[in-house]
Amino acid sequence: MVIEDCYISVGDDAVAIKSGWDQYGIAYERPSRNILIRNLIIRSMVSAGISIGSEMSGGVSNVTVENVLVWSSRRAVRIKTAVGRGGYVRDITYRNLTFDNARVGIVIKTDYNEHPDDDFDRKALPIIRDISFTEIHGHRVRVPVRIHGSKDIPIRNVTFRNISIGITYKKKHIFQCAFVEGRVIGTIFPAPCENLDRYDEEERLVKLSAAQNVTDIDYDI
């Protein structure tokens, strides 16, 4: 699947990748995979430019998003899931993205608790891992990064490389994390959260994270 060379302006997610909802998606077991999204200009004033989930119970993998401008949007790129989904989101690459006037730039959310009915399996926990963000730039962004993992659904192996996002809100916790493991490489602005290991441009370790379950999520920002 290739989505390319498009201008999209909508009242919900401009591009949404899904693969089934809770027990129905787990039973149907049809993943969404091998998707390339490139060369887009997109806007969603009430939702996200590009979303994965929250209905991802059949699995989502091998998705590349590159050369995309997201402007005047509530969120730029987002992954969302919840307890009961099962499935996985893995091997996701974001490269050369620009955010212009967004409330939140990068979002990974694990408490999107909408369900088709009450029969979902509360032990079905999604796996979120192997996600990279490279050459991400922007301006007029309120919160550049918000990664909200949980004890039940930790976020694993997230990589940030060369990020510079101009912010509109001067507050300490504008790069927000909870229950996330990963690393930042090279120059990152604003300063990343303490949950992530730090590496220099040559990928030499500078500083290990203090604790990956530290939480500084602030939805009031």
Side-chain angles (χ1 to χ4, degrees), residues 105-119:
I106 294 167
V107 180
I108 302 178
K109 182 178 175 66
T110 59
D111 59 350
Y112 202 82
N113 292 313
E114 294 183 0
H115 302 279
D117 52 45
D118 292 331
D119 295 330

Side-chain angles (χ1 to χ4, degrees), residues 30-75:
R30 295 295 187 274
S32 294
R33 60 190 178 194
N34 305 329
I35 299 170
L36 174 59
I37 301 168
R38 64 186 177 192
N39 307 333
L40 305 187
I41 299 174
I42 52 183
R43 177 178 69 165
S44 175
M45 296 182 68
V46 299
S47 198
I50 298 174
S51 276
I52 298 175
S54 72
E55 303 94 320
M56 39 60 66
S57 301
V60 177
S61 65
N62 194 26
V63 177
T64 297
V65 179
E66 62 183 6
N67 306 330
V68 172
L69 167 63
V70 185
W71 66 286
S72 292
S73 297
R74 189 171 180 84
R75 302 164 190 87

Side-chain angles (χ1 to χ4, degrees), residues 31 65 76 97 107 123 127 146 160 175 182-183 191 203 208 219:
V65 179
L97 308 185
V107 180
K123 295 181 180 179
I127 297 170
R146 179 178 287 150
F160 294 92
F175 195 122
R183 60 181 182 164
E203 299 192 27
L208 288 173
Y219 283 110

Side-chain angles (χ1 to χ4, degrees), residues 18-22 24-26 30 32 54-59 85:
K18 301 177 183 289
S19 67
W21 202 0
D22 288 359
Y24 305 107
I26 293 171
R30 295 295 187 274
S32 294
S54 72
E55 303 94 320
M56 39 60 66
S57 301
R85 295 290 192 268

